[in-house]
Amino acid sequence: MASGPLSRRVLAQNTGSTVVALAFLLLAQGYARPSYTDLSLVLSLLGPVGTLVCVRLLADDLSAGASRWSTAVTALCVAASLAVTAAVCAAAAPGRPMVKLLLIGALVALGNVIAARALSVGVLEEADGTR
C-alpha cells in the first residue's frame, strides 16, 4: 500500500481491510471473544467506505492502466470471505450470533465488490475524460 501506482495502492487498501476483517472473524471464533466480531463488523463497514472516499478524493490522480488486477483480486477476496464465513458459521451455534456472522460475511463480500467497481469506474472515467 506504500508504493506503486495510486490505483494499486487503493486496491491494496481495500484488500487489506477485507483480510483484517476476515482475520477478526477467525480470531473471534478461535478465542471465543465476541468483541472481535464487533471489530470485524465495524471494519467491514468502514473499509469499503474508506476506499470509496479515496477514489472520490483522488480521482484526478488515478491512472488508466493500473486496474487490470482488480477483477482477480476482488474475486479472490470475495471467495475468501465466503469461505471464512462458511467456516465460522459451521463452528458457531445457530441463533443470533450466526445471523451476525452471516451479515458480516455479506458486508465484507459486497463491500469489496462495490469498492472495486467504484475504483474501476473512477479509473475509466479519468481515462476517458468524462469526469
Side-chain angles (χ1 to χ4, degrees):
M1 291 187 332
S3 64
L6 183 62
S7 59
R8 283 188 190 169
R9 288 186 281 168
V10 173
L11 183 63
Q13 180 270 332
N14 188 37
T15 303
S17 67
T18 301
V19 168
V20 173
L22 295 176
F24 277 137
L25 276 180
L26 291 172
L27 288 172
Q29 188 63 36
Y31 291 124
R33 299 211 179 228
S35 60
Y36 291 166
T37 305
D38 295 338
L39 288 173
S40 180
L41 177 62
V42 169
L43 192 58
S44 67
L45 291 172
L46 293 180
V49 170
T51 303
L52 294 173
V53 168
C54 286
V55 167
R56 178 70 178 143
L57 292 176
L58 302 172
D60 295 336
D61 298 329
L62 291 172
S63 62
S67 67
R68 64 185 177 143
W69 291 103
S70 67
T71 305
V73 171
T74 302
L76 182 65
C77 287
V78 169
S81 67
L82 294 176
V84 167
T85 303
V88 171
C89 285
R96 190 173 183 183
M98 184 179 287
V99 172
K100 189 175 184 180
L101 293 172
L102 289 171
L103 175 70
I104 292 170
L107 285 173
V108 169
L110 290 175
N112 200 330
V113 169
I114 290 169
R117 176 72 177 143
L119 179 62
S120 65
V121 168
V123 168
L124 292 175
E125 282 181 0
E126 184 65 27
D128 292 341
T130 58
R131 211 182 144 237

